[in-house]
Amino acid sequence: MGRTGNLWPLLVALATLARLSESKLKLKVSQSPVEVIYNENSLLLCEISELTGATLESKNLGVLWTVTRGTEASTAFSYTSGDVQEAWPEAEILESSILNGNMSLLLRHVTFKHTGQYKCEVVIPPNNKASQTVKLEVLARPTVTVVSEKVVEVGTGGEMALGCHLSGYYPCESNAEWFQSIPSQEERKLLTDICIAPTVKNPDGTCNVTTEVRLEPHVEDIGSTFECLVTHKTFSEPYLVQASVTLKEAEIRLSTSSIVGSVIASIIISIALTALVIFLYLRFCYKVAPKVSEIQRPVKLIHQELAEFVCQVSGYRPNVITVSWYLKRCNETKEKLIADWQVDDLFHFQFITDKKMERNADTSETGMKWKVKAANVRKNNDGTFSISSILEVYPDFDVDNSAQITCKVMHPSEREGILRTIRLQIDGVPPKLANIIKPPVVHHNNSVTLTCPINFFKPHPLKITWYKIIDGEKIYLVEHNNGAEENFYQDKYSHYLVPFSYPDHTLSVCSMLLFHATIQEDENSQYSCEVGHISLSNPAEKHVQLNVKAYPSLNAIISEPGNPVIGEQLTLTCKVHSFYPKNITVRWLKNDDVIMNTESPEIVNSENELYECTSLCTITATLSDLHSKYKCQVLHESLMYPRFTEYTPESLVSFPKVSEITCNHATPELERELTLTCKIIDFYPEDIQVEWFRNEVRCDDVKYGRIMETSLCENGLYSKVSTVTLTASADDHQAEYRIEVYHSKSSTKPFKQFYQLFLKGSPKFSEFRLEPESPLYGQPLSVSTSVCEIPHDNITVEWYKASERIKGVTNSKPVLNSENTYKINSCLKFTVTAEDFERDLHFQYKDNSNTDVPVFKRRIQLPLTAVTPKVSEIKCSHDHPKKGENATLTCRIEHFCPADIHIIWSKGWTEYKDKQSIETPKIDSKGLYSTVTRLPIVAIEGSSEYICEVQHAKTNDIIEKMFVLNV
Ligand SMILES: *[C@@H]1O[C@H](CO)[C@@H](O)[C@H](O)[C@H]1NC(C)=O
Ligand SMILES: *[C@@H]1O[C@H](CO)[C@@H](O)[C@H](O)[C@H]1NC(C)=O
């Protein structure tokens, strides 16, 4: 579409701003459609109805009228910047009118080519642009011509015709009616015996039609006028045209030739009477034997279809005759009468009365619906008679094939009767095979039905064979032969027949082969249905090719890692398997947007000729994925709709970042408050547990400082600041503070940070060193430590066990080192005993010259284990005490640690808590505790069982010893 003048696009470009703001230019056009009569002028209104913020100036104004007819568009008028760029010769707008805001288009002598959709576009750059459309329809008035005779004579029994011809009109809907105005009647009468010729189209699209009326005028109609009434869109009211026909009375003329005619007629009658006498003589005195033709039969006899056999009997006289029809079937010995037909017309004047004596055998011997049609006796010119006897037959293939039909004619001139015989040869109608119906998609491991439609045949015997072609060889599957069926692969194939029968004994059958299709057996296989029938010289066949498809199955999406970490790579794996054929498209979608499309991913041919593939999608997990749905979508030709599996990263985590512990003072000082701070940031989800430890002891009360936590959530990630505030004491020097952060969603192990407190100006204590590292009871042990960064040598170091000062300590002399501070080593040697179990050793440091420096105490507990006592057998002071004699039972309990034991003597249900005695445990040679327990007894007759039970609380051990005393 050539927008003209090159200026228009520029104007439009300038006015594009108009779209941004509401245009202040509004147009008013004619109401659509504008209808105009062919060859008249048409005005398409287009006026500016509203314009604000601009004035109309010729150099800043564009007007464009375009017309669309069907899909074609053209320019009717264009005006830009004061010039008419293009215009149809018949189109006109005055420039003065344009500048008045009147863009109405005048079209002169409109023709059908002007029909279309007109668009009036007005552009006033830079802000105003508007357009409106209006439809123009061109109409054409019909030219009405009335055709008639000038004068019509009434009363002659003739007809008259009136035509009303409409031509060259548009649109093609119209109506024409004929009315008759009779002088004697007030009302005009609508004539209904009309004939409307089909509407014809002229090359210019207009139409012609003719409405004709026929009538037989009578004398009363004389003086009538006839009018054609035309209705059409172009007429505001119906248009009337009168026919210029005059009805007038016919003149009556008498003929003289009629007298001559009657004389001739009487002569003829007398000759006819003579002829009649001769005729009657011939009619009753001569017998002429009939001639009987061979039986005429149809070219083909179709099973259960009406067939006519004709026996022509001619040239006999008198008209007395019997025609009998007989049937003899193959398996029958006697002929049976089907029907007979008789005329006995000897005493009737047939040519006068036209009556017949006929007899039809109502009950035939065959009992079939076969019948003999009533035949017309024809009289020949020579006075003889002829008849055609017609036997109507419905032959049945099963019983009537090769049967014999006989026509027997009996006439008075023949004693024996004349016989004509014919043998029946019955045909069927061959079946028509339609294409085998198969499902649109055959699915692997699903059942399939192939339907072979066998249509419109008769008679019913049919042989249906299904076979499959493998490597060019026919493999027979099912053979159905008129009810008898053989299935060669019963475990795979089933066969069904669905029959339909029609009233005319035509049959149709759907032969259905049902089986389980698999790719291995049926992909690309060819199945055939072969049908044999008596009316087919060769069996008819249809073939079908199967293409088996297998649906893809999708496993659940696997994510690696299982708990995706925000900001880290996440690989999603989608396994698609068991599909066929190979072509597949795997798509990854995030919230229904495709993020990855793989047309044919790497395919693995797994078992059973089915394919599988694995698609990976690697993404960087972000916080927004918490609400995202990832889909692995599969498109495959076996699927009507894509299949998919979904994955939502619900278990998304973000590891906490645990900062180093900081102290608000660079060098913490004694007796000053200090705060340890640890920031735990960017973790998700929110659940987190923070614990502080001081030298392996959990800080759960204020003893070691106040714990405070503040939580924060930013961009969905959580943060926490945990602080411990404490006032440092001498004990805190060199104390190790530890924070443990448990974020069970992201890690099973805690995140840890450490901070060791060093108080300003305090000496540094080394760790205690044990020699040997694991002390043993009864063995010597040396415990040593050292202190450095001591400002001077006026100090004292001492060791304490509980609160008891230990002697025998070896201290080195304070040694001055390069930093001008002193270092001292101290070593404690002793033999380890059970008393040292769970007892603290203190190392104490004291500055003798500066009382402001506190006494530092360092503590150690030896890593000793509890030892279970060894209990000896019970001994009695007398070997064989006599009845009533006193004796003592003794039991030794040795080598245990700690000393805490519980002893119970008993006999039967009796306990001897008050009588028993226990010695205080003492350290023995092995450095462990040993003791002895005794129970005084009085021997009684018979046998007594004494039990000593020793419970050691620390080890939870219970040891029992038994003694039997026989007196
Ligand atoms: C616009 O012009 C046409 C003819 O040119 C005229 O018939 C019509 O009345 C005019 N409209 C106005 C509003 O003047
Ligand atoms: C329609 O009628 C006109 C006038 O009678 C005639 O000229 C024309 O050929 C007709 N058209 C057709 C298609 O018959």
Side-chain angles (χ1 to χ4, degrees):
M1 159 172 81
R3 282 270 169 100
T4 53
N6 293 339
L7 286 166
W8 181 260
L10 184 71
L11 268 181
V12 174
L14 278 172
T16 44
L17 283 171
R19 295 181 197 187
L20 302 176
S21 59
E22 174 114 351
S23 180
K24 291 162 215 110
L25 172 64
K26 295 238 162 66
L27 298 178
K28 191 183 126 203
V29 294
S30 314
Q31 199 173 354
S32 200
V34 171
E35 288 173 347
V36 59
I37 306 285
Y38 181 83
N39 206 28
E40 288 184 1
N41 296 345
S42 164
L43 182 70
L44 298 173
L45 283 183
C46 178
E47 294 158 5
I48 293 178
S49 63
E50 195 184 321
L51 175 66
T52 47
T55 48
L56 290 179
E57 282 172 75
S58 61
K59 54 181 191 303
N60 194 29
L61 174 64
V63 179
L64 179 71
W65 275 95
T66 47
V67 56
T68 313
R69 294 190 64 181
T71 54
E72 219 177 297
S74 58
T75 306
F77 184 92
S78 97
Y79 171 93
T80 32
S81 308
D83 283 316
V84 174
Q85 305 288 331
E86 189 181 339
W88 288 345
E90 67 272 26
E92 186 184 302
I93 313 179
L94 295 178
E95 187 176 3
S96 59
S97 139
I98 292 176
L99 295 176
N100 281 332
N102 188 344
M103 283 69 180
S104 305
L105 182 72
L106 179 71
L107 293 174
R108 293 182 197 283
H109 303 293
V110 169
T111 64
F112 289 111
K113 74 165 197 209
H114 292 113
T115 308
Q117 187 85 28
Y118 284 75
K119 183 157 111 180
C120 171
E121 240 177 307
V122 175
V123 180
I124 305 166
N127 288 326
N128 294 297
K129 180 171 181 274
S131 69
Q132 286 284 336
T133 57
V134 60
K135 203 171 153 190
L136 178 69
E137 277 179 7
V138 180
L139 313 177
R141 269 197 194 114
T143 308
V144 183
T145 328
V146 162
V147 189
S148 71
E149 289 161 78
K150 276 260 168 330
V151 177
V152 174
E153 287 194 347
V154 182
T156 52
E159 269 195 342
M160 68 177 272
L162 298 166
C164 188
H165 180 64
L166 273 60
S167 62
Y169 61 91
Y170 187 85
C172 284
E173 290 86 52
S174 73
N175 190 32
E177 286 173 324
W178 276 103
F179 287 92
Q180 180 181 12
S181 307
I182 306 167
S184 57
Q185 286 167 18
E186 284 276 298
E187 296 256 313
R188 56 180 186 186
K189 185 170 94 186
L190 175 69
L191 300 177
T192 50
D193 189 13
I194 58 167
C195 163
I196 305 168
T199 307
V200 292
K201 261 218 157 106
N202 291 310
D204 65 353
T206 60
C207 290
N208 286 8
V209 74
T210 302
T211 304
E212 208 178 65
V213 67
R214 291 192 169 274
L215 66 161
E216 209 176 304
H218 300 283
V219 182
E220 315 86 80
D221 295 324
I222 290 174
S224 291
T225 54
F226 296 91
E227 283 167 329
C228 176
L229 188 89
V230 180
T231 35
H232 187 256
K233 194 166 184 179
T234 52
F235 294 128
S236 51
E237 50 191 56
Y239 180 71
L240 267 178
V241 181
Q242 202 175 46
S244 57
V245 60
T246 318
L247 298 185
K248 91 178 193 201
E249 207 163 343
E251 295 155 34
I252 298 165
R253 287 170 284 251
L254 248 181
S255 168
T256 48
S257 62
S258 59
I259 301 155
V260 180
S262 59
V263 175
I264 294 166
S266 54
I267 297 166
I268 292 169
I269 290 165
S270 55
I271 294 168
L273 281 173
T274 320
L276 176 70
V277 173
I278 301 162
F279 172 78
L280 289 175
Y281 166 77
L282 289 173
R283 165 77 172 79
F284 297 113
C285 300
Y286 282 106
K287 280 181 187 167
V288 180
K291 291 188 201 64
V292 181
S293 70
E294 288 300 315
I295 297 174
Q296 294 164 18
R297 52 161 222 149
V299 182
K300 259 195 158 180
L301 287 179
I302 307 287
H303 173 74
Q304 290 292 356
E305 263 179 32
L306 174 68
E308 288 186 345
F309 289 90
V310 183
C311 197
Q312 296 274 9
V313 186
S314 58
Y316 61 89
R317 201 176 61 199
N319 190 15
V320 174
I321 202 151
T322 305
V323 182
S324 310
W325 290 89
Y326 293 91
L327 170 71
K328 182 169 168 268
R329 285 178 171 148
C330 283
N331 51 354
E332 289 167 350
T333 49
K334 235 187 103 223
E335 288 194 326
K336 283 181 183 164
L337 175 69
I338 303 165
D340 60 7
W341 188 88
Q342 213 171 42
V343 177
D344 190 347
D345 202 21
L346 194 55
F347 304 108
H348 294 269
F349 296 93
Q350 196 208 348
F351 67 98
I352 297 166
T353 61
D354 209 26
K355 271 185 188 158
K356 274 169 268 172
M357 283 289 290
E358 290 178 15
R359 193 176 69 83
N360 256 317
D362 284 343
T363 47
S364 76
E365 289 170 32
T366 55
M368 298 181 300
K369 61 171 180 174
W370 294 15
K371 66 171 190 224
V372 176
K373 254 169 113 176
N376 261 336
V377 178
R378 286 187 312 280
K379 199 178 164 221
N380 302 324
N381 295 337
D382 60 357
T384 61
F385 297 88
S386 298
I387 64 151
S388 300
S389 178
I390 300 169
L391 175 68
E392 282 188 350
V393 165
Y394 290 90
D396 189 293
F397 180 83
D398 295 334
V399 289
D400 298 324
N401 209 11
S402 299
Q404 192 175 297
I405 282 185
T406 305
C407 169
K408 186 176 177 186
V409 177
M410 299 292 284
H411 188 261
S413 64
E414 289 280 341
R415 278 260 178 86
E416 296 291 302
I418 306 162
L419 296 177
R420 294 287 182 264
T421 299
I422 196 168
R423 204 168 269 282
L424 300 187
Q425 185 69 46
I426 302 172
D427 276 321
V429 177
K432 291 176 190 66
L433 260 61
N435 284 335
I436 295 175
I437 302 165
K438 63 172 179 179
V441 179
V442 177
H443 287 293
H444 174 62
N445 258 340
N446 275 356
S447 59
V448 179
T449 306
L450 297 181
T451 305
C452 180
I454 307 162
N455 288 329
F456 314 125
F457 61 91
K458 58 186 173 186
H460 63 78
L462 211 57
K463 183 179 173 185
I464 305 167
T465 313
W466 280 94
Y467 63 86
K468 190 174 169 179
I469 298 175
I470 299 176
D471 300 328
E473 205 183 316
K474 286 185 177 179
I475 310 291
Y476 287 93
L477 310 174
V478 173
E479 198 172 275
H480 178 99
N481 196 351
N482 195 19
E485 186 157 307
E486 194 164 355
N487 190 337
F488 301 101
Y489 299 95
Q490 286 201 344
D491 42 355
K492 173 144 175 149
Y493 295 97
S494 317
H495 181 242
Y496 301 97
L497 287 180
V498 180
F500 310 91
S501 58
Y502 302 93
D504 67 345
H505 295 89
T506 306
L507 300 166
S508 289
V509 158
C510 281
S511 167
M512 299 196 283
L513 188 69
L514 198 81
F515 58 96
H516 208 68
T518 61
I519 284 170
Q520 300 79 6
E521 289 185 38
D522 300 306
E523 165 62 357
N524 256 327
S525 63
Q526 191 167 4
Y527 280 85
S528 299
C529 164
E530 186 188 271
V531 176
H533 188 259
I534 56 140
S535 355
L536 287 171
S537 46
N538 291 315
E541 272 186 296
K542 284 285 173 186
H543 306 281
V544 72
Q545 169 130 5
L546 293 194
N547 289 98
V548 185
K549 290 168 189 176
Y551 301 117
S553 296
L554 277 84
N555 288 356
I557 294 173
I558 297 168
S559 72
E560 178 55 45
N563 283 7
V565 180
I566 292 169
E568 288 183 19
Q569 268 201 349
L570 166 64
T571 302
L572 302 179
T573 306
C574 176
K575 186 172 170 188
V576 185
H577 61 89
S578 311
F579 58 87
Y580 187 93
K582 197 173 181 177
N583 286 346
I584 197 160
T585 301
V586 181
R587 271 188 193 159
W588 285 92
L589 289 91
K590 178 184 179 179
N591 299 333
D592 297 327
D593 296 329
V594 177
I595 53 170
M596 201 174 115
N597 197 4
T598 329
E599 283 289 333
S600 34
E602 203 169 302
I603 306 280
V604 189
N605 192 352
S606 62
E607 294 158 57
N608 313 330
E609 307 195 15
L610 298 177
Y611 292 100
E612 62 178 57
C613 70
T614 303
S615 179
L616 302 181
C617 179
T618 303
I619 51 169
T620 303
T622 63
L623 199 62
S624 69
D625 286 329
L626 266 180
H627 312 289
S628 298
K629 225 179 235 176
Y630 285 88
K631 266 189 202 175
C632 171
Q633 194 187 55
V634 169
L635 284 79
H636 189 255
E637 56 185 278
S638 66
L639 297 172
M640 192 113 83
Y641 303 104
R643 281 193 168 180
F644 60 86
T645 61
E646 275 184 346
Y647 170 79
T648 311
E650 279 162 344
S651 51
L652 208 60
V653 295
S654 177
F655 295 120
K657 296 188 186 73
V658 182
S659 73
E660 288 193 349
I661 298 170
T662 55
C663 181
N664 59 340
H665 301 298
T667 45
E669 282 171 48
L670 196 66
E671 302 303 335
R672 251 183 84 177
E673 195 178 73
L674 62 94
T675 303
L676 301 179
T677 306
C678 182
K679 289 181 186 158
I680 306 142
I681 57 167
D682 289 350
F683 57 90
Y684 185 90
E686 193 182 4
D687 287 343
I688 202 158
Q689 202 182 335
V690 178
E691 279 178 357
W692 284 93
F693 294 84
R694 180 189 179 274
N695 289 343
E696 305 300 330
V697 180
R698 206 164 91 203
C699 310
D700 46 7
D701 57 23
V702 287
K703 192 170 149 197
Y704 297 122
R706 295 188 314 278
I707 299 171
M708 298 230 306
E709 283 184 356
T710 46
S711 297
L712 199 79
C713 177
E714 206 176 334
N715 303 327
L717 295 178
Y718 296 93
S719 296
K720 197 165 241 183
V721 177
S722 186
T723 59
V724 179
T725 307
L726 58 127
T727 306
S729 70
D731 271 357
D732 292 318
H733 178 59
Q734 279 192 275
E736 186 188 69
Y737 279 84
R738 185 173 84 234
I739 190 165
E740 289 192 1
V741 176
Y742 295 89
H743 190 244
S744 58
K745 289 280 157 53
S746 63
S747 172
T748 50
K749 286 185 199 141
F751 301 86
K752 295 181 187 174
Q753 289 292 355
F754 302 89
Y755 184 85
Q756 198 170 22
L757 212 61
F758 284 101
L759 295 180
K760 190 178 175 184
S762 303
K764 264 194 190 135
F765 297 86
S766 74
E767 294 289 316
F768 289 104
R769 216 169 49 248
L770 299 182
E771 181 62 42
E773 268 177 43
S774 307
L776 297 169
Y777 293 108
Q779 302 290 322
L781 171 76
S782 91
V783 183
S784 53
T785 186
S786 64
V787 188
C788 59
E789 295 181 30
I790 308 168
H792 50 82
D793 60 357
N794 188 12
I795 51 135
T796 316
V797 291
E798 286 167 339
W799 289 83
Y800 290 86
K801 255 185 195 174
S803 55
E804 198 183 317
R805 185 164 159 222
I806 309 170
K807 293 178 186 110
V809 177
T810 323
N811 289 334
S812 71
K813 278 258 156 56
V815 183
L816 191 68
N817 62 14
S818 57
E819 275 133 29
N820 221 14
T821 56
Y822 290 90
K823 179 181 175 178
I824 188 166
N825 291 326
S826 180
C827 180
L828 172 69
K829 282 188 178 144
F830 63 99
T831 302
V832 179
T833 69
E835 286 171 345
D836 297 314
F837 179 78
E838 287 188 346
R839 188 165 66 172
D840 285 351
L841 279 176
H842 291 280
F843 174 75
Q844 188 173 303
Y845 166 96
K846 199 170 151 197
D847 191 323
N848 295 332
S849 59
N850 187 352
T851 47
D852 289 345
V853 176
V855 174
F856 289 104
K857 285 181 184 158
R858 310 275 290 150
R859 189 187 66 86
I860 182 176
Q861 199 173 68
L862 298 181
L864 294 170
T865 51
V867 181
T868 304
K870 290 195 177 57
V871 182
S872 70
E873 294 302 321
I874 298 168
K875 283 205 182 109
C876 185
S877 53
H878 294 60
D879 280 349
H880 300 290
K882 300 213 170 59
K883 183 186 167 190
E885 213 175 341
N886 286 336
T888 307
L889 300 179
T890 310
C891 184
R892 298 192 66 81
I893 300 150
E894 296 172 304
H895 318 313
F896 58 92
C897 172
D900 188 17
I901 56 167
H902 188 64
I903 298 165
I904 303 159
W905 286 89
S906 59
K907 187 181 92 180
W909 295 105
T910 322
E911 286 190 0
Y912 299 107
K913 274 198 186 138
D914 302 332
K915 287 191 180 167
Q916 71 189 37
S917 69
I918 306 162
E919 280 183 15
T920 312
K922 291 200 181 72
I923 296 294
D924 61 17
S925 57
K926 290 186 170 175
L928 294 163
Y929 289 105
S930 290
T931 187
V932 175
T933 179
R934 295 190 181 82
L935 181 72
I937 56 164
V938 180
I940 51 169
E941 203 174 352
S943 172
S944 312
E945 276 182 13
Y946 289 91
I947 287 171
C948 176
E949 186 190 287
V950 179
Q951 296 175 358
H952 189 237
K954 193 75 189 181
T955 56
N956 259 337
D957 286 330
I958 296 170
I959 303 146
E960 234 180 46
K961 292 291 171 183
M962 193 173 72
F963 181 77
V964 183
L965 183 68
N966 289 310
V967 181

